[in-house]
Amino acid sequence: MSLSDTVYHAQQLMADYHLMQLPVTNHETYIGLISEDDLLNSQDDQTLEHLEPLFLKLSVKASSHFVEAVQLCNSYGLSVIPVVEKEMEWAGAISASDLLKYLGRMTGTDEPGGIIVLELEKANFSFSEICKLVETNDAQITQLNTFFDTQLQLLYVTIKLNRFEVSDIVATFQRYEYTVKYYFGEELYENELRINYDHLMNYLNM
């Protein structure tokens, strides 16, 4: 969008691309983001130039790490993240959905493998010990992420594994007094099917 475009045109683009904000430029210079709420409170034939005081001055540099774009997106609830070069030169934009897909690839969530989430005190976190317990079960960690809950004062460690079978790894963590908050793996479904099968066979043998 440019400063000379109308509010009505901006609303049409938002509807077409399912966006909550639109970047506005002026001669290849990035000016800011205009939000849907600000457009709804304006006249349809009004140009965006008149709304410039309402623009959100948010952007990331083209040389920035993508995590900065993720933080900006989460902090301000953006549906699109403007990307600029030096002197606010317009470089392009990243949609929140594309950013989420890239984040999934970077964190390995689209790769096959089981997931285990541990809950523990922050002071008890030991990356080397967690790796050792996983590796004693002939598995490897392909991705590890942490999240600290400030209200509960607890650390959540999400582990992505290079295999689906996780029951023995879960048992190992529990044996070492780790709290396993959640786990997902192929073997869980196999175990459930096996239990149902055994129940059926016991019934038939009565």
Side-chain angles (χ1 to χ4, degrees):
M1 300 296 300
S2 68
L3 290 174
S4 59
D5 286 321
T6 64
V7 167
Y8 178 74
H9 185 205
Q11 288 176 321
Q12 283 186 314
L13 284 179
M14 281 188 178
D16 290 343
Y17 293 97
H18 309 289
L19 298 174
M20 300 296 291
Q21 305 88 18
L22 277 178
V24 182
T25 61
N26 183 34
H27 302 297
E28 301 302 320
T29 299
Y30 170 66
I31 306 299
L33 282 172
I34 183 67
S35 71
E36 184 179 40
D37 288 341
D38 289 332
L39 292 176
L40 291 173
N41 294 323
S42 305
Q43 299 284 337
D44 285 352
D45 59 352
Q46 199 171 20
T47 62
L48 298 182
E49 185 177 7
H50 293 89
L51 305 181
E52 187 172 348
L54 302 176
F55 290 178
L56 298 171
K57 307 296 184 178
L58 302 172
S59 64
V60 294
K61 293 285 197 317
S63 58
S64 300
H65 194 278
F66 87 98
V67 169
E68 290 188 33
V70 174
Q71 291 175 332
L72 195 69
C73 182
N74 289 338
S75 298
Y76 295 94
L78 302 181
S79 57
V80 61
I81 301 91
V83 182
V84 298
E85 300 282 0
K86 294 179 180 179
E87 307 299 329
M88 302 303 287
E89 182 183 354
W90 175 250
I94 308 170
S95 69
S97 58
D98 286 341
L99 193 63
L100 184 61
K101 291 176 185 176
Y102 186 72
L103 182 62
R105 290 198 297 272
M106 289 294 293
T107 56
T109 53
D110 55 353
E111 295 294 325
I115 295 174
I116 298 175
V117 179
L118 306 175
E119 178 188 86
L120 62 153
E121 300 286 340
K122 194 173 185 179
N124 295 334
F125 173 68
S126 171
F127 177 76
S128 59
E129 181 175 79
I130 290 173
C131 287
K132 182 178 72 175
L133 295 179
V134 170
E135 290 169 359
T136 56
N137 290 282
D138 297 322
Q140 290 182 337
I141 295 175
T142 58
Q143 186 72 33
L144 186 146
N145 296 291
T146 61
F147 166 73
F148 183 67
D149 190 318
T150 54
Q151 290 186 331
L152 299 176
Q153 291 294 298
L154 289 171
L155 183 70
Y156 293 91
V157 182
T158 303
I159 305 166
K160 185 68 179 290
L161 304 167
N162 66 335
R163 71 182 210 197
F164 277 112
E165 296 80 15
V166 298
S167 293
D168 53 346
I169 303 173
V170 169
T172 298
F173 278 122
Q174 291 173 335
R175 189 162 62 250
Y176 280 81
E177 299 184 345
Y178 279 87
T179 300
V180 179
K181 195 69 176 176
Y182 169 85
Y183 56 97
F184 166 81
E186 190 175 75
E187 190 174 345
L188 301 178
Y189 297 106
E190 293 175 353
N191 287 342
E192 184 179 352
L193 291 172
R194 181 67 186 179
I195 292 170
N196 292 338
Y197 174 79
D198 290 342
H199 286 166
L200 175 62
M201 294 307 294
N202 290 334
Y203 174 78
L204 295 175
N205 290 331
M206 291 179 61

